């Protein structure tokens, strides 16, 4: 395992992050762990790997962000299928849903 220079790794990561995202990251460090923009904590080696992947994918990331920013047609929500109708019209699931709503509005249904 090679010893990593903390300042060099953070500087390289900051530059790669700026190129990929267009803004500087917020890096918090606490006892050997680093958090980027309030995300998951990671070690310095993981930060270096992220910097390398950001540097290699920076042009792809910028193009992907441009594509995401273009408005797309909204997908219509899928229609729910009607439940199979009983001959009597009675459903235990509906009965309990009505009962719970009457007794305690906002309560969740049992599984």
């Amino acid at each position: 395992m090679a010893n990593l220079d903390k300042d060099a790794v953070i500087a390289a990561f900051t530059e790669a992050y700026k190129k990929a995202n267009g803004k500087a990251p917020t890096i918090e460090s606490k006892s050997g762990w680093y958090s980027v923009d309030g995300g998951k904590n990671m070690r310095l080696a993981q930060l270096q790997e992220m910097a390398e992947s950001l540097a290699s994918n920076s042009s792809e990331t910028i193009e992907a962000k441009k594509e995401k920013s273009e408005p797309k047609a909204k997908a219509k929500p899928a229609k729910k299928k009607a439940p199979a109708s009983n001959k009597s019209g009675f459903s235990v699931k509906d009965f309990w849903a009505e009962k719970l709503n009457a007794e305690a509005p906002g309560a969740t249904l049992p599984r």
Side-chain angles (χ1 to χ4, degrees):
M1 233 174 148
N3 289 334
L4 300 174
D5 182 23
K6 178 179 89 169
D7 296 328
V9 171
I10 291 176
F13 177 78
T14 302
E15 288 302 314
Y17 190 90
K18 280 182 186 178
K19 287 180 184 177
N21 297 318
K23 63 174 187 156
T26 305
I27 301 175
E28 299 172 15
S29 70
K30 184 174 181 181
S31 64
W33 291 90
Y34 298 90
S35 174
V36 179
D37 290 337
K40 186 177 178 181
N41 291 340
M42 62 186 82
R43 291 289 191 179
L44 193 60
Q46 292 170 318
L47 200 63
Q48 183 181 23
E49 290 173 5
M50 271 183 71
E52 291 169 358
S53 68
L54 283 174
S56 65
N57 295 331
S58 65
S59 62
E60 294 172 12
T61 305
I62 293 171
E63 292 173 7
K65 282 191 175 190
K66 287 180 183 178
E67 290 176 5
K68 285 183 182 179
S69 65
E70 294 174 5
K72 294 182 180 179
K74 290 186 178 179
K76 294 181 181 179
K79 293 183 180 179
K80 293 183 180 179
K81 294 182 180 179
S85 61
N86 295 337
K87 291 181 181 178
S88 66
F90 179 77
S91 170
V92 175
K93 188 174 183 179
D94 292 336
F95 171 76
W96 277 105
E98 290 173 12
K99 183 177 177 180
L100 277 177
N101 276 338
E103 292 176 359
T108 59
L109 296 175
R111 289 188 167 207

